[in-house]
């Protein structure tokens, strides 16, 4: 009798746990199992990548460059300053810089020590001063004080690489480009769009999955998602709208309530990075960032 009865509760206990897990996250688990069991074809990859882009477009219809700027020169300088710091810190720093040096001619003729002091909060201020004063001088001497709109011209400027050039081309001139920053590279590898780590190779691989017309907005959406939900150390998998399409589902917190607490910026009810964000962002519930020195909630950037 004991031998016949003993297996019964054991059998129930083993069966109960997987059923419980499956109910909590049925779609994501199914997606991951399929990806692991059968290699994804090129056609399937393109379809999945484009579907992710469509889903992100619904989640972030207000996606935009998160640097404050009013003209191509301001965007160029702000993008150079954004290296190794947050867009928020740049946005809090540039108002004073642009008020004092509104044109390339003004910045080219500036006292380097005064520029260093103004941009000190962005870090690496000596190297950045050299770069922005150098590019201002080049704009003055070689381009008549105007920011060029061609990739081959932009990358010749001091401190300007392909990433910076594409930011300027896409957002100041409306010319398509893919911006491979830390967030973009991390997410496209998580999504198995590419295994490349070199930014130029990532740019090429991802560019081949989408029509050129999608490149600029794709960049904004992916970066927005990386900053708000799909974080480097603690991705909020349980609050992710594209979880069923993600091969890396489960790397982060899968419990929906716990995942919600990991959301950042407007998704978590916190201020964004721009002091002067687009109206569409404000209409969607986004909160402007506070100016430098103002009292604000803890920083939510990565």
């Amino acid at each position: 009798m004991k031998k016949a009865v003993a297996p019964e509760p054991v059998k129930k206990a083993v069966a109960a746990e997987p059923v419980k897990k499956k109910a909590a996250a049925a779609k994501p688990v199914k997606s991951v199992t399929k990806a692991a069991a059968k290699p994804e074809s090129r056609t399937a990859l393109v379809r999945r990548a484009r579907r992710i882009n469509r889903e992100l477009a619904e989640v972030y219809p207000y996606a935009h460059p998160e640097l404050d700027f009013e003209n191509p020169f301001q965007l160029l300088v702000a993008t150079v300053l954004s290296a190794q710091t947050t867009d928020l810190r740049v946005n809090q720093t540039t108002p004073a810089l642009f008020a004092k040096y509104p044109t390339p001619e003004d910045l080219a003729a500036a006292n380097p020590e005064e520029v260093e002091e103004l941009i000190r909060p962005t870090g690496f201020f000596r190297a950045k001063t050299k770069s922005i004063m150098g590019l201002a001088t080049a704009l003055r001497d070689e381009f008549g004080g105007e920011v060029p709109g061609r990739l081959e011209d932009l990358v010749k400027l001091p401190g300007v690489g392909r990433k910076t050039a594409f930011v300027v081309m896409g957002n100041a001139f409306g010319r398509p480009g893919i911006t491979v920053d830390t967030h973009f590279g991390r997410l496209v590898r998580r999504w198995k769009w590419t295994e490349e780590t070199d930014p130029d190779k990532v740019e090429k691989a991802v560019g081949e999955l989408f029509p050129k017309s999608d490149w600029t907005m794709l960049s904004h959406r992916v970066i927005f998602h990386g900053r708000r939900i799909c974080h480097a150390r603690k991705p909020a998998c349980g609050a992710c709208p594209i979880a069923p399409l993600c091969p890396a589902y489960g790397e982060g917190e899968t419990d929906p309530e716990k995942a919600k607490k990991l959301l950042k910026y407007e998704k978590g009810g916190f201020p964004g990075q721009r002091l002067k964000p687009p109206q569409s962002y404000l209409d969607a519930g986004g909160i402007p960032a506070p100016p430098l020195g103002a009292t604000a909630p803890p920083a939510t950037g990565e």
Side-chain angles (χ1 to χ4, degrees):
M1 290 291 291
K2 288 181 181 179
K3 287 184 180 180
V5 173
E8 183 64 23
V10 175
K11 187 175 181 182
K12 284 184 178 179
V14 172
E17 191 172 351
V19 169
K20 193 174 182 180
K21 284 186 178 178
K22 189 174 182 182
K27 285 187 178 179
V29 172
K30 185 178 181 182
S31 174
V32 174
T33 303
K34 278 187 177 181
K38 184 179 178 182
E40 190 173 39
S41 70
R42 177 70 181 180
T43 300
L45 169 61
V46 171
R47 287 175 178 168
R48 182 170 62 85
R50 294 186 181 187
R51 185 176 170 193
I52 287 176
N53 184 38
R54 290 194 298 273
E55 295 284 344
L56 293 180
E58 291 185 14
V59 178
Y60 309 107
Y62 47 78
H64 58 270
E66 292 192 90
L67 289 169
D68 283 323
F69 69 99
E70 295 178 357
N71 55 55
F73 173 62
Q74 289 187 1
L75 179 58
L76 178 60
V77 171
T79 306
V80 171
L81 293 179
S82 69
Q84 304 300 313
T85 190
T86 62
D87 287 354
L88 170 60
R89 186 47 56 95
V90 174
N91 292 335
Q92 292 174 325
T93 303
T94 51
L97 178 71
F98 295 143
K100 190 164 186 176
Y101 310 111
T103 69
E105 291 83 358
D106 294 324
L107 185 56
N111 181 327
E113 292 182 358
E114 293 180 2
V115 176
E116 287 178 3
E117 198 57 37
L118 284 170
I119 69 169
R120 183 183 290 269
T122 68
F124 303 96
F125 57 91
R126 291 192 179 90
K128 289 180 180 180
T129 293
K130 186 176 180 181
S131 292
I132 64 174
M133 289 190 67
L135 71 83
T137 301
L139 292 176
R140 179 195 65 189
D141 297 346
E142 300 173 32
F143 297 98
E146 300 291 332
V147 176
R150 298 192 313 162
L151 176 65
E152 53 267 40
D153 292 328
L154 285 166
V155 295
K156 292 177 183 176
L157 299 172
V160 178
R162 290 178 68 88
K163 184 189 89 169
T164 297
F166 282 132
V167 169
V168 174
M169 288 170 58
N171 299 291
F173 296 103
R175 295 175 183 169
I178 292 176
T179 303
V180 184
D181 73 347
T182 304
H183 301 285
F184 190 94
R186 172 167 53 81
L187 265 62
V188 299
R189 284 188 289 274
R190 266 185 183 164
W191 296 336
K192 304 299 182 186
W193 290 3
T194 180
E195 294 182 358
E196 299 289 355
T197 55
D198 178 79
D200 291 352
K201 292 180 179 178
V202 171
E203 175 198 323
K204 183 177 185 299
V206 175
E208 291 174 349
L209 300 176
F210 296 89
K212 218 171 185 179
S213 57
D214 286 353
W215 289 357
T216 299
M217 285 309 300
L218 170 71
S219 299
H220 291 325
R221 292 166 191 149
V222 173
I223 293 169
F224 255 60
H225 193 62
R227 286 174 170 164
R228 285 150 178 78
I229 296 178
C230 194
H231 316 306
R233 290 180 292 278
K234 291 183 179 180
C237 294
C240 181
I242 62 166
L245 300 169
C246 181
Y249 174 82
E251 284 187 10
E253 180 57 65
T254 57
D255 180 86
E257 292 305 314
K258 291 180 180 178
K260 282 181 184 177
K261 295 178 182 179
L262 300 174
L263 301 179
K264 299 182 178 181
Y265 300 116
E266 77 283 352
K267 292 298 181 185
F270 298 103
Q273 300 208 79
R274 290 185 68 162
L275 278 67
K276 298 179 180 179
Q279 188 60 45
S280 59
Y281 179 74
L282 298 175
D283 292 342
I287 307 169
L292 195 64
T295 303
T300 57
E302 279 193 279

